[in-house]
Amino acid sequence: MIDYALISFMEERLKNTPMAFSRYMYTRINWNSRLVGLTGPRGVGKSTMMLQHMLAQSSGKDMLYVTADHTWFATHSLVELADDFVKSGGKWLCIDEAHRYGGWSREIKQIYDGHPGLRIAFTGSSVLDINKGEADLSRRALMYHMQGLSFREYLKMFHSIEAPLLSLDDILHGDVKMPEALEHPLPLFRQYLSEGYYPFAIEGDLALRIQQIVNLTVETDIPLYADMKAATARKIKHMLGIIAASAPYKPSVDHLAQEIKVSKNNVPDYLLWLEKAGMIGQLRDDTGGMRGLGKVEKVFLDNPTLMTVLSGNNPNIGNLRDTFFYNQMRVDNDVMSSKISDFRIKDATFEVGGRNKGQRQVRKASEGYVVKDDIEYRHANVIPLFLFGLTY
């Protein structure tokens, strides 16, 4: 028999779940898989999307949503819950914030192996690594990673504007037509850059909420998975402040080590934890031969909204444009540094700038594009920056 407190909690969450808008990942997830894991930075809408899926199912009575930090789990286990749920006819169990439960991976594995008729979905922090938990779930779980709102999603959620979904090829070579409601997109694009990456911005108090996310991520999430002390977490927070003051930051291991008073051997690990946690992005070259293994050329703050808030609402516009391009393109593409320009994706190179940006950096490129802010239409190899926010 499932405890009424858990049922009541689920019903309250479902009652307050909006259905008018769903994130891009909703249609990408194979919800029929026996074990689905969804990770991502704090605040990007993972919990809401799980609840939306529950509401969309006609057989909702055989589904159960719990959050792993519920007080019920102080005296009960996930395994105990799953056993009772299956005996009650349960078919689909959603465990939100799974990383908040000690031994989560071991118990999810036990549930998966012990109840072959039960489907399980769980959400977790973006620093969660299923290969390094107490039990390896990598052969069992389909894992998905979700980022924040694209410009396209922001238009739909905040302004009820249906913008077209574009592939990179559409942007580079296609004839892109904007809906009448988006005839002049630049004012809305400005709003997106300053406030549009996190869905919770619609609730207000954006700066305060982002500061809370930064604090929880750096002081709680990273130390939990990196097994580090509070003093080390403070050093990582100091590192984030240094990066925020000059992002995109040209990484200097010696300088960062000296500033935060740690061994320079630790600096790459700290940067990687910040990247996994959704606080920064690291632009690499192609020397590694595989995604994520090249030399780090620049360190960005993760997204334009985070950059705006951490800069005191006074970001450098050039850096903001670069951050937007990298942030949006990395979702479905391997974005690398370019030897002659700002970015490279496959065989194409991109120089990002304002209305007056010239062709000098891309003249020698076999396939070069100038990506300009402050323009509405493309011409030849000159492409409006906002279009790159319509790819997911």
Side-chain angles (χ1 to χ4, degrees), residues 26 28-38 50 53 57 63 91-94 108 112 115-122 137-144:
Y26 189 94
R28 298 188 182 190
I29 290 177
N30 178 6
W31 296 103
N32 293 319
S33 174
R34 279 194 58 207
L35 182 58
V36 169
L38 176 64
M50 289 289 189
H53 178 66
Q57 306 309 302
M63 308 174 84
K91 300 294 185 183
W92 194 80
L93 176 62
C94 175
I108 287 178
Y112 177 91
H115 297 291
L118 179 67
R119 284 183 290 142
I120 309 156
F122 65 91
L137 296 176
S138 60
R139 291 179 293 106
R140 294 170 173 82
L142 284 181
M143 293 299 300
Y144 300 87

Side-chain angles (χ1 to χ4, degrees), residues 2-22:
I2 303 302
D3 192 289
Y4 178 76
L6 294 178
I7 300 295
S8 178
F9 177 79
M10 175 183 69
E11 294 295 341
E12 191 66 24
R13 291 296 305 270
L14 288 170
K15 183 175 68 175
N16 291 288
T17 298
M19 293 295 287
F21 168 81
S22 59

Side-chain angles (χ1 to χ4, degrees), residues 227-371:
D227 192 24
M228 63 178 57
K229 298 177 180 178
T232 307
R234 287 193 292 271
K235 293 180 185 295
I236 291 181
K237 192 171 184 179
H238 184 194
M239 175 185 285
L240 180 62
I242 293 170
I243 294 169
S246 56
Y249 177 82
K250 181 69 175 176
S252 169
V253 171
D254 291 336
H255 174 254
L256 281 174
Q258 184 178 3
E259 283 289 323
I260 66 175
K261 297 179 173 57
V262 299
S263 166
K264 66 180 182 180
N265 295 328
N266 292 330
V267 170
D269 291 336
Y270 294 171
L271 288 171
L272 184 60
W273 281 113
L274 284 171
E275 182 178 38
K276 287 172 68 69
M279 293 290 100
I280 65 171
Q282 297 190 85
L283 180 67
R284 298 170 172 88
D285 64 17
D286 59 358
T287 56
M290 293 177 62
R291 185 174 188 174
L293 296 181
K295 175 186 174 185
V296 176
E297 293 291 338
K298 288 182 181 179
V299 179
F300 295 86
L301 285 177
D302 181 76
N303 61 80
T305 302
L306 181 65
M307 184 178 184
T308 299
V309 170
L310 294 187
S311 70
N313 290 316
N314 189 33
N316 177 279
I317 185 60
N319 296 342
L320 195 68
R321 292 163 178 155
D322 286 351
T323 299
F324 167 79
F325 182 91
Y326 176 65
N327 169 270
Q328 300 283 281
M329 286 293 94
R330 68 180 180 181
V331 171
D332 291 319
N333 303 277
D334 290 337
V335 185
M336 293 174 286
S337 64
S338 168
K339 292 180 174 64
I340 61 174
S341 189
D342 288 327
F343 303 98
R344 184 165 68 85
I345 301 175
K346 296 181 180 178
D347 295 326
T349 185
F350 301 87
E351 178 69 15
V352 180
R355 179 192 294 269
N356 296 322
K357 174 62 67 174
Q359 297 275 343
R360 179 176 57 84
Q361 287 88 346
V362 299
R363 279 179 186 149
K364 296 182 179 180
S366 58
E367 185 181 355
Y369 300 92
V370 179
V371 180

Side-chain angles (χ1 to χ4, degrees), residues 117-159:
L118 179 67
R119 284 183 290 142
I120 309 156
F122 65 91
T123 71
S125 164
S126 57
V127 297
L128 174 152
D129 189 339
I130 64 168
N131 299 297
K132 295 182 179 179
E134 293 175 314
D136 184 3
L137 296 176
S138 60
R139 291 179 293 106
R140 294 170 173 82
L142 284 181
M143 293 299 300
Y144 300 87
H145 186 78
M146 188 164 76
Q147 299 288 358
L149 295 174
S150 67
F151 178 45
R152 175 178 171 273
E153 290 183 301
Y154 167 78
L155 290 169
K156 171 64 175 176
M157 180 177 181
F158 284 72
H159 300 283

